[in-house]
Amino acid sequence: MLPEKFLELILLELKNARMVESVRGAKGGYQLRRAPAEIHLSEIIRLIDGPLAPFGDAEQLRSLIDRDAEHRSLYKVFLEVRDAAAKILEHTTLADIMGGGRASKAKIKRKKRDESRTVLPMVVHGNPNRGEQ
């Protein structure tokens, strides 16, 4: 389980990026601003953690490969890991995770038509606007 403060920070980042919005009331919390099929995991991870590479971004790794002959092989492996992770994360959406598996493109298009906004399956209780000025 995530500590509440940590979760609040993540939700605040998602709110600032306009991926979620707060909902007031007894059943308040946060809801997605876009359909889950339109939100890729790579977008969320880059927002919260930065580049997908073990360190730096792909361009930094390519630069190190060109400049540092002694460690070139290691940087190439890091770039391959980054590219493999990016491929998976850029093709996996929240809808895929919510549905228990990766969705086909036709299924995603149908879901896009059927869902304008989806309430997240988690709710942070308390004041969703706490910390806003």
Side-chain angles (χ1 to χ4, degrees):
M1 189 158 140
L2 294 174
E4 186 175 330
K5 286 289 184 191
F6 182 64
L7 183 57
E8 285 177 1
L9 290 173
I10 291 171
L11 287 168
L12 184 60
E13 291 229 18
L14 294 173
K15 185 176 178 182
N16 289 339
R18 304 185 58 75
M19 280 192 217
V20 299
E21 61 189 359
S22 57
V23 178
R24 296 177 189 258
K27 294 185 180 185
Y30 289 87
Q31 73 180 18
L32 297 174
R33 292 179 57 103
R34 302 190 321 241
E38 296 175 4
I39 302 173
H40 292 87
L41 294 184
S42 59
E43 185 179 2
I44 296 169
I45 291 172
R46 284 184 176 116
L47 176 70
I48 294 170
D49 281 341
L52 300 176
F55 60 91
D57 61 17
E59 194 56 41
Q60 286 175 313
L61 287 171
R62 287 184 191 98
S63 175
L64 288 168
I65 289 168
D66 291 341
R67 290 182 316 187
D68 188 349
E70 183 179 353
H71 300 103
R72 182 171 290 140
S73 296
L74 179 62
Y75 295 133
K76 285 182 179 180
V77 170
F78 285 158
L79 185 58
E80 288 176 20
V81 168
R82 180 261 171 224
D83 290 346
K87 183 177 180 181
I88 294 167
L89 296 171
E90 288 170 355
H91 292 92
T92 304
T93 66
L94 289 181
D96 297 330
I97 294 172
M98 293 167 65
R102 304 261 317 265
S104 69
K105 289 190 186 269
K107 191 175 182 181
I108 289 172
K109 285 181 183 177
R110 273 195 310 275
K111 279 190 171 191
K112 281 184 184 179
R113 286 193 311 261
D114 297 341
E115 338 173 295
S116 59
R117 292 184 180 169
T118 301
V119 175
L120 291 174
M122 67 178 165
V123 175
V124 175
H125 298 286
N127 182 355
N129 294 317
R130 183 174 50 197
E132 290 185 355
Q133 301 295 341

